[in-house]
Amino acid sequence: RMEKLRSRLYDGMAERGVVGEVADQIYDALAAFANFGFPESHSVSFAHLVYCSAWIKHAYPAAFTAALLNAQPMGFWSPQSLLADAKRHGVEVTRPHVNASSSGASLEGPEDAPVLRLGLTSVRGIGPELGEAIAHGAPWADLEDLVRRGGVSRAQLEALATAGALDGLSSVAQHAKAPSRRALLWAAGAAAQATADRLPGIVVGANAPHLERPSPAESVADDLWSIGVTPEVTAMELLRPRLKRRGILTAAQVAVAPAGRVAVAGVVTHRQHPETARGAVFLNLEDETGHVNVIFSKGAWARWKAVARHSPVLVVRGHLERAQGVANLAAEKVEALELVAPVPGSRDFR
């Protein structure tokens, strides 16, 4: 594009008495800046965005996280990683609830220490329109009220029950003072009969038999199925006693460990293979305490690719390196790790 402007530029300079070596120097300078000016202007705007984002994240971490959750899908980090980071920075996170949540993520409590409440649209099968209708229709008396007045379907009611969004809500038949989520899930199937074209009070089958409470692993699996995140315990936390016995460090321990050989385990959040990295591949592992950067050399990736490329959770052994305050783990040996519950998918090669 600069070459197309060359003749016009030289003609204009000649009209103004700028010719010869001086004209060549001006053109060379403009052409050089054209090669650099575009990324330079972007770097300025990115630096401004990073500074503003960092300040908001530091000063208002709950509001910052809520905004990111409401802007999904976007960016590099999954909602699970965003929530985990917020919790590590002191933000309290609560589940969606039909009598407390907005359609999207919102803040509750005092301004100096707000609680982040997950939105109704984070629940499987609840879109923005229904989320707004549920939020505006609150408070809801019971499950039957949600079906009759809110138009909630059986599948949506079951997802809300699994997510904990019906906790404390009266069941159709008042079969328990404090129904468990499994009892509410049972009642959801019965409450689905209470459509607007039927007479009220004729729902049957809401009384659940004795149901065992879900195990911690089952609760994690229920959370990931219903809301895609785990607001409380994560799958990695459930494995920590076993990992500790194997001498596998947490991300927080790696952050302060001296350089040398270590082992770490975590969920793969993303994989990157930059063209400028001479064949190296970069992985990020996340556990309940933070993140670890893992670097595969070209040779290490060729050896361990079959495992590292497709396994959602990894144990990586290697050499911990430190430079300018950043710790990186150079991978030497990799193995897949089976979790007690599924995990969100990684964001690879974006």
Side-chain angles (χ1 to χ4, degrees):
R1 293 178 64 181
M2 285 299 297
E3 189 63 29
K4 291 180 180 179
L5 296 171
R6 183 183 184 117
S7 296
R8 182 181 173 189
L9 177 63
Y10 270 87
D11 290 343
M13 288 191 292
E15 290 177 4
R16 290 159 179 78
V18 181
V19 295
E21 185 178 348
V22 175
D24 292 338
Q25 289 176 348
I26 292 174
Y27 174 79
D28 290 343
L30 290 173
F33 183 77
N35 290 332
F36 178 73
F38 181 74
E40 182 184 45
S41 64
H42 272 54
S43 70
V44 172
S45 63
F46 280 136
H48 180 70
L49 289 171
V50 168
Y51 177 84
C52 293
S53 298
W55 187 88
I56 296 171
K57 184 176 187 293
H58 173 75
Y60 302 98
F64 181 78
T65 305
L68 291 179
L69 292 176
N70 289 336
Q72 294 294 316
M74 63 161 287
F76 208 64
W77 301 102
S78 68
Q80 176 67 49
S81 293
L82 294 173
L83 279 183
D85 180 76
K87 290 171 62 178
R88 287 192 291 270
H89 287 84
V91 176
E92 182 181 348
V93 178
T94 57
R95 294 173 173 274
H97 196 280
V98 293
N99 280 341
S101 289
S102 300
S103 179
S106 59
L107 303 182
E108 301 175 351
E111 290 187 6
D112 59 337
V115 173
L116 172 59
R117 169 78 69 175
L118 295 179
L120 293 167
T121 54
S122 65
V123 179
R124 185 187 191 101
I126 306 297
E129 185 175 346
L130 180 58
E132 290 287 350
I134 294 174
H136 289 308
W140 301 93
D142 51 30
L143 280 68
E144 183 176 348
D145 190 23
L146 275 166
V147 175
R148 182 173 299 277
R149 186 162 58 91
V152 179
S153 70
R154 174 176 179 170
Q156 292 163 341
L157 203 62
E158 290 175 343
L160 287 166
T162 306
L166 305 179
D167 287 1
L169 200 66
S170 300
S171 66
V172 176
Q174 288 289 329
H175 65 278
K177 291 183 179 180
S180 68
R181 286 178 193 159
R182 284 190 170 176
L184 287 169
L185 182 60
W186 178 286
Q193 305 169 53
T195 51
D197 59 341
R198 296 191 178 190
L199 293 173
I202 62 171
V203 169
V204 296
N207 292 322
H210 174 72
L211 300 171
E212 294 291 335
R213 290 191 175 272
S215 67
E218 290 172 330
S219 294
V220 169
D222 287 346
D223 286 342
L224 291 173
W225 176 84
S226 60
I227 52 179
V229 296
T230 54
E232 290 117 20
V233 177
T234 67
M236 287 299 300
E237 285 180 85
L238 299 180
L239 278 183
R240 184 53 57 188
R242 195 176 90 189
L243 297 174
K244 186 176 181 180
R245 289 193 295 270
R246 294 180 57 187
I248 296 174
L249 304 182
T250 65
Q253 291 172 324
V254 169
V256 297
R261 280 182 167 73
V262 299
V264 68
V267 176
V268 180
T269 63
H270 54 265
R271 300 171 175 89
Q272 296 296 309
H273 192 177
E275 293 181 4
T276 57
R278 298 181 180 179
V281 176
F282 301 88
L283 269 67
N284 182 276
L285 297 183
E286 181 179 19
D287 66 10
E288 71 275 21
T289 69
H291 299 265
V292 177
N293 296 319
V294 180
I295 302 175
F296 285 80
S297 66
K298 184 176 182 179
W301 184 251
R303 181 176 182 183
W304 299 107
K305 179 179 179 180
V307 177
R309 175 65 181 84
H310 301 289
S311 300
V313 191
L314 297 173
V315 176
V316 180
R317 300 181 185 275
H319 192 274
L320 183 64
E321 304 168 344
R322 295 191 173 279
Q324 299 179 342
V326 177
N328 295 304
L329 181 62
E332 296 175 350
K333 185 178 180 181
V334 183
E335 65 178 274
L337 182 64
E338 292 294 330
L339 286 185
V340 294
V343 296
S346 56
R347 301 187 171 192
D348 297 337
F349 308 115
R350 295 190 176 186

